[in-house]
Protein backbone atom coordinates (compact mmCIF):
# COMPACT_ATOMS: atom_id res chain seq x y z
CA UNK A 1 0.00 0.00 0.00
CA UNK A 2 2.76 2.39 0.93
CA UNK A 3 4.57 1.60 -2.31
CA UNK A 4 1.63 2.91 -4.34
CA UNK A 5 1.81 6.39 -2.81
CA UNK A 6 3.04 9.06 -5.21
CA UNK A 7 4.94 12.10 -4.03
CA UNK A 8 4.60 15.39 -5.85
CA UNK A 9 8.01 16.60 -6.95
CA UNK A 10 9.16 19.96 -8.26
CA UNK A 11 12.28 21.21 -10.01
CA UNK A 12 14.37 23.92 -8.39
CA UNK A 13 17.64 25.45 -9.51
CA UNK A 14 20.61 26.48 -7.36
CA UNK A 15 23.27 28.78 -8.74
CA UNK A 16 26.75 28.96 -7.22
CA UNK A 17 29.88 30.94 -8.05
CA UNK A 18 32.90 29.02 -9.33
CA UNK A 19 36.53 30.00 -8.76
CA UNK A 20 38.62 28.10 -11.34
CA UNK A 21 42.39 28.42 -11.46
CA UNK A 22 43.99 29.97 -14.55
CA UNK A 23 44.67 26.51 -15.97
CA UNK A 24 41.10 25.39 -15.30
CA UNK A 25 39.74 28.59 -16.83
CA UNK A 26 41.79 27.95 -19.96
CA UNK A 27 40.43 24.39 -20.11
CA UNK A 28 36.85 25.61 -19.64
CA UNK A 29 37.28 28.14 -22.42
CA UNK A 30 38.66 25.38 -24.66
CA UNK A 31 35.57 23.26 -23.88
CA UNK A 32 33.33 26.16 -24.83
CA UNK A 33 35.29 26.66 -28.05
CA UNK A 34 34.95 23.00 -29.04
CA UNK A 35 31.24 22.90 -28.15
CA UNK A 36 30.65 26.02 -30.23
CA UNK A 37 32.51 24.48 -33.16
CA UNK A 38 30.36 21.35 -32.91
CA UNK A 39 27.15 23.40 -32.75
CA UNK A 40 28.08 25.34 -35.89
CA UNK A 41 29.21 22.15 -37.65
CA UNK A 42 25.91 20.36 -36.92
CA UNK A 43 23.94 23.41 -38.00
CA UNK A 44 25.88 23.49 -41.26
CA UNK A 45 25.10 19.78 -41.74
CA UNK A 46 21.37 20.43 -41.38
CA UNK A 47 21.47 23.44 -43.66
CA UNK A 48 23.43 21.60 -46.36
CA UNK A 49 21.26 18.47 -46.20
CA UNK A 50 18.07 20.47 -46.67
CA UNK A 51 19.45 22.63 -49.49
CA UNK A 52 20.94 19.70 -51.46
CA UNK A 53 18.57 16.80 -50.80
CA UNK A 54 15.53 18.44 -49.18
CA UNK A 55 15.97 16.19 -46.13
CA UNK A 56 15.89 17.08 -42.44
CA UNK A 57 18.47 15.46 -40.20
CA UNK A 58 17.17 14.14 -36.89
CA UNK A 59 18.73 14.58 -33.47
CA UNK A 60 19.82 10.93 -33.20
CA UNK A 61 21.35 10.95 -36.68
CA UNK A 62 23.58 13.83 -35.69
CA UNK A 63 24.42 12.39 -32.26
CA UNK A 64 25.65 9.22 -33.99
CA UNK A 65 28.12 11.25 -36.06
CA UNK A 66 29.94 12.64 -33.01
CA UNK A 67 32.28 9.60 -32.50
CA UNK A 68 33.50 9.93 -36.09
CA UNK A 69 34.00 13.68 -35.64
CA UNK A 70 36.21 12.96 -32.61
CA UNK A 71 38.52 10.93 -34.82
CA UNK A 72 38.77 13.78 -37.33
CA UNK A 73 39.10 16.54 -34.70
CA UNK A 74 41.21 15.34 -31.78
CA UNK A 75 40.42 18.40 -29.63
CA UNK A 76 36.80 17.24 -29.27
CA UNK A 77 38.04 14.41 -27.04
CA UNK A 78 38.82 16.97 -24.31
CA UNK A 79 35.07 17.53 -23.83
CA UNK A 80 32.89 15.06 -21.94
CA UNK A 81 30.80 12.91 -24.30
CA UNK A 82 27.44 13.86 -22.74
CA UNK A 83 28.28 17.56 -23.01
CA UNK A 84 28.84 17.05 -26.75
CA UNK A 85 25.54 15.17 -27.05
CA UNK A 86 23.80 18.06 -25.30
CA UNK A 87 25.12 20.39 -28.00
CA UNK A 88 23.11 18.40 -30.54
CA UNK A 89 20.07 18.57 -28.25
CA UNK A 90 20.36 22.37 -28.07
CA UNK A 91 20.45 22.64 -31.85
CA UNK A 92 17.47 20.30 -32.19
CA UNK A 93 15.45 22.44 -29.75
CA UNK A 94 16.34 25.56 -31.75
CA UNK A 95 15.15 23.88 -34.97
CA UNK A 96 11.92 22.72 -33.32
CA UNK A 97 11.22 26.25 -32.09
CA UNK A 98 11.92 27.62 -35.60
CA UNK A 99 9.48 25.25 -37.34
CA UNK A 100 6.86 25.71 -34.63
CA UNK A 101 6.86 29.45 -35.19
CA UNK A 102 6.74 28.98 -38.97
CA UNK A 103 3.64 26.78 -38.66
CA UNK A 104 1.72 29.41 -36.69
CA UNK A 105 2.37 32.02 -39.37
CA UNK A 106 5.30 33.93 -37.87
CA UNK A 107 8.47 34.90 -39.72
CA UNK A 108 11.24 33.73 -37.37
CA UNK A 109 14.93 33.98 -38.14
CA UNK A 110 16.70 30.74 -38.99
CA UNK A 111 18.90 29.41 -36.13
CA UNK A 112 22.13 31.35 -36.35
CA UNK A 113 25.74 30.27 -36.20
CA UNK A 114 27.25 30.99 -32.80
CA UNK A 115 30.06 33.51 -32.43
CA UNK A 116 32.73 33.36 -29.73
CA UNK A 117 30.79 35.57 -27.32
CA UNK A 118 27.41 33.92 -27.85
CA UNK A 119 28.09 30.31 -26.83
CA UNK A 120 28.83 30.57 -23.11
CA UNK A 121 27.68 27.39 -21.31
CA UNK A 122 28.23 23.64 -20.99
CA UNK A 123 25.58 21.22 -19.71
CA UNK A 124 26.06 17.83 -18.04
CA UNK A 125 22.56 16.38 -18.62
CA UNK A 126 22.79 13.33 -16.35
CA UNK A 127 24.45 14.51 -13.16
CA UNK A 128 26.36 13.18 -11.28
CA UNK A 129 27.76 11.60 -14.47
CA UNK A 130 30.67 13.80 -15.45
CA UNK A 131 30.16 16.26 -12.60
CA UNK A 132 29.92 15.78 -8.87
CA UNK A 133 29.78 18.21 -5.98
CA UNK A 134 32.24 16.88 -3.42
CA UNK A 135 31.15 16.88 0.22
CA UNK A 136 27.70 17.24 1.74
CA UNK A 137 26.49 20.48 0.14
CA UNK A 138 23.11 20.12 1.84
CA UNK A 139 24.74 20.70 5.22
CA UNK A 140 27.28 23.32 4.18
CA UNK A 141 27.20 26.50 6.22
CA UNK A 142 26.49 29.81 4.53
CA UNK A 143 29.38 31.09 2.39
CA UNK A 144 31.41 27.91 2.83
CA UNK A 145 33.56 26.44 0.07
CA UNK A 146 33.31 23.06 -1.63
CA UNK A 147 34.71 21.49 -4.79
CA UNK A 148 32.96 20.60 -8.02
CA UNK A 149 34.61 17.66 -9.76
CA UNK A 150 34.21 17.94 -13.54
CA UNK A 151 35.30 15.21 -15.94
CA UNK A 152 38.50 16.16 -17.82
CA UNK A 153 38.59 19.51 -16.00
CA UNK A 154 39.47 18.57 -12.42
CA UNK A 155 38.19 19.88 -9.10
CA UNK A 156 37.00 23.48 -9.14
CA UNK A 157 36.43 25.59 -6.05
CA UNK A 158 32.77 26.56 -5.58
CA UNK A 159 31.18 28.93 -3.06
CA UNK A 160 28.09 27.44 -1.39
CA UNK A 161 26.06 30.44 -0.23
CA UNK A 162 22.97 28.34 0.59
CA UNK A 163 22.38 24.59 1.08
CA UNK A 164 21.71 22.42 -1.95
CA UNK A 165 18.35 20.63 -1.75
CA UNK A 166 16.98 17.52 -3.43
CA UNK A 167 18.59 15.30 -6.05
CA UNK A 168 20.77 16.92 -8.69
CA UNK A 169 19.58 16.11 -12.22
CA UNK A 170 21.57 18.43 -14.46
CA UNK A 171 24.52 20.78 -14.06
CA UNK A 172 25.29 23.75 -16.31
CA UNK A 173 28.60 25.61 -16.25
CA UNK A 174 28.34 29.16 -17.57
CA UNK A 175 30.62 32.14 -18.10
CA UNK A 176 28.84 35.49 -17.83
CA UNK A 177 29.64 38.76 -19.60
CA UNK A 178 31.92 39.80 -16.72
CA UNK A 179 34.10 36.70 -17.10
CA UNK A 180 32.75 35.09 -13.92
CA UNK A 181 32.00 31.35 -13.88
CA UNK A 182 28.84 29.85 -12.40
CA UNK A 183 27.45 26.38 -11.78
CA UNK A 184 23.67 25.93 -11.97
CA UNK A 185 22.20 22.71 -10.56
CA UNK A 186 18.69 21.65 -11.50
CA UNK A 187 17.39 19.57 -8.60
CA UNK A 188 14.33 17.42 -8.08
CA UNK A 189 12.76 17.65 -4.63
CA UNK A 190 9.45 17.07 -2.91
CA UNK A 191 6.93 19.90 -3.10
CA UNK A 192 7.39 22.20 -0.08
CA UNK A 193 4.77 22.56 2.62
CA UNK A 194 2.27 25.37 1.85
CA UNK A 195 2.23 28.49 3.98
CA UNK A 196 -0.48 28.98 6.62
CA UNK A 197 -3.78 30.05 5.04
CA UNK A 198 -4.43 33.76 4.57
CA UNK A 199 -7.83 35.37 3.98
CA UNK A 200 -6.38 38.58 2.59
CA UNK A 201 -6.84 39.26 -1.14
CA UNK A 202 -5.13 41.77 -3.39
CA UNK A 203 -5.36 43.08 -6.93
CA UNK A 204 -2.18 44.46 -8.53
CA UNK A 205 -2.05 47.06 -11.29
CA UNK A 206 1.46 47.48 -12.73
CA UNK A 207 2.64 50.72 -14.27
CA UNK A 208 5.64 52.85 -15.14
CA UNK A 209 5.36 55.67 -12.59
CA UNK A 210 4.42 53.27 -9.79
CA UNK A 211 5.76 49.78 -10.37
CA UNK A 212 2.70 48.31 -8.68
CA UNK A 213 -0.45 49.76 -7.14
CA UNK A 214 -2.26 47.42 -4.76
CA UNK A 215 -6.00 47.30 -4.14
CA UNK A 216 -5.13 47.96 -0.48
CA UNK A 217 -4.23 51.54 -1.57
CA UNK A 218 -0.48 50.84 -1.30
CA UNK A 219 1.88 52.00 -4.04
CA UNK A 220 5.29 50.52 -4.86
CA UNK A 221 7.43 53.19 -6.59
CA UNK A 222 9.18 52.17 -9.79
CA UNK A 223 12.90 51.67 -8.99
CA UNK A 224 14.04 52.40 -12.60
CA UNK A 225 17.35 50.58 -12.25
CA UNK A 226 18.38 51.01 -15.89
CA UNK A 227 17.55 54.73 -15.94
CA UNK A 228 19.53 55.21 -12.74
CA UNK A 229 22.69 53.66 -14.19
CA UNK A 230 22.21 54.78 -17.77
CA UNK A 231 24.88 57.49 -17.52
CA UNK A 232 27.48 55.04 -16.16
CA UNK A 233 26.59 52.56 -18.89
CA UNK A 234 26.99 55.22 -21.56
CA UNK A 235 30.48 56.07 -20.33
CA UNK A 236 31.81 52.52 -20.43
CA UNK A 237 30.12 51.85 -23.78
CA UNK A 238 31.74 54.93 -25.35
CA UNK A 239 35.15 53.83 -24.04
CA UNK A 240 34.63 50.38 -25.55
CA UNK A 241 33.52 51.74 -28.94
CA UNK A 242 36.67 53.88 -29.10
CA UNK A 243 38.86 50.75 -29.19
CA UNK A 244 39.61 48.81 -32.36
CA UNK A 245 37.46 45.74 -32.97
CA UNK A 246 39.20 42.50 -32.03
CA UNK A 247 41.78 44.25 -29.87
CA UNK A 248 42.70 43.17 -26.36
CA UNK A 249 41.73 46.56 -24.96
CA UNK A 250 38.25 46.31 -26.50
CA UNK A 251 37.70 42.91 -24.85
CA UNK A 252 38.76 44.47 -21.55
CA UNK A 253 36.32 47.36 -22.01
CA UNK A 254 33.60 44.93 -22.98
CA UNK A 255 33.88 43.25 -19.57
CA UNK A 256 33.38 46.66 -17.95
CA UNK A 257 30.15 47.07 -19.94
CA UNK A 258 29.08 43.60 -18.82
CA UNK A 259 29.69 44.51 -15.18
CA UNK A 260 27.33 47.49 -15.39
CA UNK A 261 24.66 45.38 -17.09
CA UNK A 262 25.14 42.66 -14.47
CA UNK A 263 24.79 45.19 -11.65
CA UNK A 264 21.51 46.48 -13.11
CA UNK A 265 20.17 42.95 -13.62
CA UNK A 266 21.12 41.87 -10.08
CA UNK A 267 19.39 44.88 -8.50
CA UNK A 268 16.27 44.27 -10.57
CA UNK A 269 16.24 40.58 -9.69
CA UNK A 270 16.64 41.32 -5.98
CA UNK A 271 13.76 43.81 -6.13
CA UNK A 272 11.35 41.42 -7.88
CA UNK A 273 12.23 38.52 -5.56
CA UNK A 274 11.74 40.57 -2.39
CA UNK A 275 8.46 42.14 -3.53
CA UNK A 276 7.00 38.85 -4.76
CA UNK A 277 8.00 37.12 -1.50
CA UNK A 278 6.31 39.84 0.56
CA UNK A 279 3.08 39.55 -1.44
CA UNK A 280 2.99 35.74 -1.34
CA UNK A 281 3.61 35.67 2.41
CA UNK A 282 0.83 38.20 3.07
CA UNK A 283 -2.02 37.43 0.66
CA UNK A 284 -3.99 34.24 0.02
CA UNK A 285 -5.33 35.35 -3.38
CA UNK A 286 -3.28 37.52 -5.73
CA UNK A 287 -4.84 38.97 -8.89
CA UNK A 288 -2.62 40.29 -11.68
CA UNK A 289 -3.06 41.47 -15.25
CA UNK A 290 -2.54 39.00 -18.08
CA UNK A 291 -0.30 41.29 -20.13
CA UNK A 292 2.25 40.46 -22.82
CA UNK A 293 5.18 42.85 -22.76
CA UNK A 294 6.50 41.58 -26.13
CA UNK A 295 3.55 43.26 -27.81
CA UNK A 296 3.80 46.43 -25.74
CA UNK A 297 7.43 47.23 -26.57
CA UNK A 298 6.48 48.03 -30.17
CA UNK A 299 5.65 51.49 -28.79
CA UNK A 300 9.15 52.94 -29.13
CA UNK A 301 8.48 55.87 -26.81
CA UNK A 302 7.74 53.51 -23.91
CA UNK A 303 9.78 50.41 -24.83
CA UNK A 304 12.82 51.24 -22.68
CA UNK A 305 10.71 52.02 -19.61
CA UNK A 306 8.60 48.88 -20.06
CA UNK A 307 11.67 46.64 -20.32
CA UNK A 308 13.29 48.40 -17.36
CA UNK A 309 10.19 47.72 -15.25
CA UNK A 310 10.57 43.93 -15.82
CA UNK A 311 6.91 43.10 -15.28
CA UNK A 312 7.35 39.63 -16.81
CA UNK A 313 10.16 38.78 -14.38
CA UNK A 314 7.99 39.96 -11.48
CA UNK A 315 5.00 37.88 -12.66
CA UNK A 316 7.22 34.79 -13.09
CA UNK A 317 8.54 35.17 -9.53
CA UNK A 318 5.00 35.58 -8.23
CA UNK A 319 3.80 32.50 -10.13
CA UNK A 320 6.34 29.99 -8.85
CA UNK A 321 6.40 31.39 -5.30
CA UNK A 322 2.60 31.28 -5.13
CA UNK A 323 2.56 27.69 -6.44
CA UNK A 324 5.08 26.56 -3.82
CA UNK A 325 3.26 28.40 -1.02
CA UNK A 326 -0.20 27.12 -1.93
CA UNK A 327 -1.49 30.59 -2.82
CA UNK A 328 -4.02 31.40 -5.55
CA UNK A 329 -2.63 33.47 -8.43
CA UNK A 330 -5.31 34.61 -10.89
CA UNK A 331 -4.60 36.36 -14.20
CA UNK A 332 -7.33 38.60 -15.59
CA UNK A 333 -7.87 40.35 -18.90
CA UNK A 334 -6.66 43.94 -18.39
CA UNK A 335 -9.15 45.36 -20.91
CA UNK A 336 -11.14 48.34 -19.53
CA UNK A 337 -9.86 47.89 -15.97
CA UNK A 338 -8.76 51.56 -16.01
CA UNK A 339 -12.01 52.78 -17.62
CA UNK A 340 -14.62 50.95 -15.53
CA UNK A 341 -15.75 52.28 -12.16
CA UNK A 342 -15.05 49.68 -9.49
CA UNK A 343 -18.26 50.62 -7.63
CA UNK A 344 -20.99 50.96 -10.28
CA UNK A 345 -19.28 49.57 -13.39
CA UNK A 346 -19.76 52.74 -15.45
CA UNK A 347 -17.28 52.94 -18.34
CA UNK A 348 -15.67 56.18 -19.46
CA UNK A 349 -12.55 57.18 -21.37
CA UNK A 350 -9.44 57.75 -19.27
CA UNK A 351 -6.46 59.40 -21.01
CA UNK A 352 -3.07 58.60 -19.46
CA UNK A 353 -2.71 62.23 -18.39
CA UNK A 354 -5.66 61.90 -15.99
CA UNK A 355 -4.42 60.37 -12.74
CA UNK A 356 -7.71 60.57 -10.80
CA UNK A 357 -10.76 58.53 -11.73
CA UNK A 358 -13.96 60.56 -11.23
CA UNK A 359 -17.02 58.48 -12.08
CA UNK A 360 -19.63 60.50 -14.01
CA UNK A 361 -22.35 58.10 -12.85
CA UNK A 362 -21.93 57.52 -9.09
CA UNK A 363 -19.47 60.30 -8.28
CA UNK A 364 -16.78 57.92 -6.95
CA UNK A 365 -13.32 59.53 -6.97
CA UNK A 366 -9.97 57.77 -6.42
CA UNK A 367 -6.52 57.28 -7.94
CA UNK A 368 -6.84 55.73 -11.39
CA UNK A 369 -4.40 52.89 -10.53
CA UNK A 370 -6.29 52.11 -7.33
CA UNK A 371 -9.51 51.90 -9.34
CA UNK A 372 -7.81 49.54 -11.82
CA UNK A 373 -6.42 47.29 -9.08
CA UNK A 374 -9.87 47.06 -7.45
CA UNK A 375 -11.37 46.06 -10.81
CA UNK A 376 -8.64 43.43 -11.27
CA UNK A 377 -9.41 41.98 -7.85
CA UNK A 378 -13.18 42.01 -8.51
CA UNK A 379 -12.79 40.12 -11.80
CA UNK A 380 -10.35 37.62 -10.24
CA UNK A 381 -12.69 36.87 -7.32
CA UNK A 382 -15.48 36.23 -9.81
CA UNK A 383 -13.29 33.88 -11.87
CA UNK A 384 -12.04 32.09 -8.77
CA UNK A 385 -15.54 31.55 -7.35
CA UNK A 386 -16.79 30.19 -10.69
CA UNK A 387 -13.75 27.91 -11.03
Amino acid sequence: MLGSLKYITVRKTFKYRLYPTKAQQTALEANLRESRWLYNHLLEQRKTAYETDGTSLSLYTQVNTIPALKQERESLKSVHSQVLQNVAVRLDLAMQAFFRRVKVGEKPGYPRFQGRDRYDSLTFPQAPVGCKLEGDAARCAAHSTATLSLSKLGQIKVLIHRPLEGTVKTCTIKCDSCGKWWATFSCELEAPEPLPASLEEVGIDVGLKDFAFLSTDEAVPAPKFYRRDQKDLGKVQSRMSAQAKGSKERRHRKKAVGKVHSRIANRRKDFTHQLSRYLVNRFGLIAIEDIHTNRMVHNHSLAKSILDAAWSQFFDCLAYKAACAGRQLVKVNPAYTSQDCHQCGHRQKMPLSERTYCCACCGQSCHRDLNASLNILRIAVGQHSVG
Side-chain angles (χ1 to χ4, degrees), residues 32-59:
L32 284 179
R33 185 167 57 250
E34 294 305 315
S35 298
R36 180 175 63 88
W37 179 90
L38 179 62
Y39 184 96
N40 291 337
H41 178 78
L42 297 179
L43 178 57
E44 178 65 27
Q45 277 186 346
R46 292 210 180 203
K47 190 171 181 290
T48 303
Y50 186 78
E51 290 175 349
T52 56
D53 306 325
T55 58
S56 297
L57 299 179
S58 68
L59 166 63

Side-chain angles (χ1 to χ4, degrees), residues 130-148:
C131 64
K132 186 177 181 181
L133 194 60
E134 302 291 346
D136 192 354
R139 294 186 175 86
C140 284
H143 295 88
S144 62
T145 57
T147 55
L148 178 63

Side-chain angles (χ1 to χ4, degrees), residues 149-200:
S149 180
L150 298 178
S151 176
K152 302 185 179 183
L153 292 169
Q155 293 186 332
I156 302 177
K157 182 181 175 182
V158 55
L159 177 64
I160 305 296
H161 65 277
R162 62 169 176 167
L164 185 68
E165 302 173 18
T167 303
V168 178
K169 293 297 183 180
T170 67
C171 174
T172 298
I173 310 300
K174 182 174 181 178
C175 180
D176 64 13
S177 58
C178 306
K180 298 177 181 177
W181 292 88
W182 303 86
T184 302
F185 299 94
S186 178
C187 302
E188 186 177 78
L189 61 156
E190 292 184 20
E193 291 291 330
L195 294 176
S198 172
L199 299 179
E200 288 192 80

